[in-house]
Amino acid sequence: MILVAYEGIEHETMQFIAETLGKYISVLDGGTLPLPREAYDQERNQWNAAVMIGSIEDTDNMILLVTHVDLFVQDLNFVFGVADRASMNALVSTNRLGSLDPTIARRRIIKEAVHEVGHLLDLDHCPDSRCVMHFSNSLSEVDEKGKEFCPSCTRHLEKVIELRGLY
Ligand SMILES: [Zn+2]
Ligand SMILES: [Zn+2]
């Protein structure tokens, strides 16, 4: 899979995400992209996640995009991230994951990145509250879960990775 940063994301953040995802799948550095201005919604002062994902050229590769802008999708006030299984591209934002403690902020973005990649690899939300695939809609829920897949999700993930020849 390919990791792509949008302008404004520090290289270090991408490295931490790459290290964690690298435990499960091979990760390539896709560099940095400018923000697609057409995704900005002036009325909401937010960025449309679907338009951002749609602005990425379709490839055979899975792509994870990382941004610092505030994301929304239709009918939701905000999202931490989204995964589009049709294009196999996902997008996560650090915007609402901030903390004065950089270690906590880093742990949160890693969890959200791994979570969305899990969705791309066919995983649904997991009832195990420690699993990274557990649904989280608030910072306390993000902090509560781990950054790893539970044994059941790991088994499913390994099967999908093998079937799709991703490794
Ligand atoms: Zn989810
Ligand atoms: Zn799980």
Side-chain angles (χ1 to χ4, degrees), residues 9-70:
I9 284 289
E10 286 171 19
H11 185 64
E12 210 189 16
T13 304
M14 301 305 288
Q15 273 178 321
F16 287 117
I17 294 172
E19 267 169 40
T20 308
L21 285 173
K23 290 184 205 166
Y24 302 99
I25 193 163
S26 61
V27 175
L28 294 172
D29 180 0
T32 305
L33 283 181
L35 285 160
R37 301 301 304 181
E38 70 272 19
Y40 180 66
D41 186 313
Q42 208 157 10
E43 239 161 76
R44 301 181 64 136
N45 189 26
Q46 282 181 305
W47 294 69
N48 186 319
V51 175
M52 284 177 79
I53 284 194
S55 73
I56 298 300
E57 212 182 305
D58 221 354
T59 66
D60 290 341
N61 263 303
M62 270 200 303
I63 301 174
L64 176 69
L65 303 148
V66 185
T67 185
H68 71 286
V69 298
D70 194 18

Side-chain angles (χ1 to χ4, degrees), residues 90-149:
L91 170 65
V92 290
S93 172
T94 60
N95 193 278
R96 290 176 185 259
L97 301 174
S99 165
L100 290 175
D101 181 341
T103 312
I104 292 176
R106 189 183 304 146
R107 211 178 291 147
R108 287 173 180 166
I109 186 65
I110 289 171
K111 286 176 192 176
E112 288 312 300
V114 173
H115 182 97
E116 296 307 336
V117 170
H119 280 318
L120 288 186
L121 292 169
D122 238 25
L123 291 176
D124 291 319
H125 288 143
C126 178
D128 183 340
S129 63
R130 297 291 308 149
C131 177
V132 73
M133 290 314 293
H134 194 67
F135 176 70
S136 48
N137 199 29
S138 68
L139 286 182
S140 59
E141 286 169 314
V142 175
D143 290 338
E144 209 175 304
K145 67 183 181 183
K147 65 178 168 66
E148 313 285 340
F149 297 101

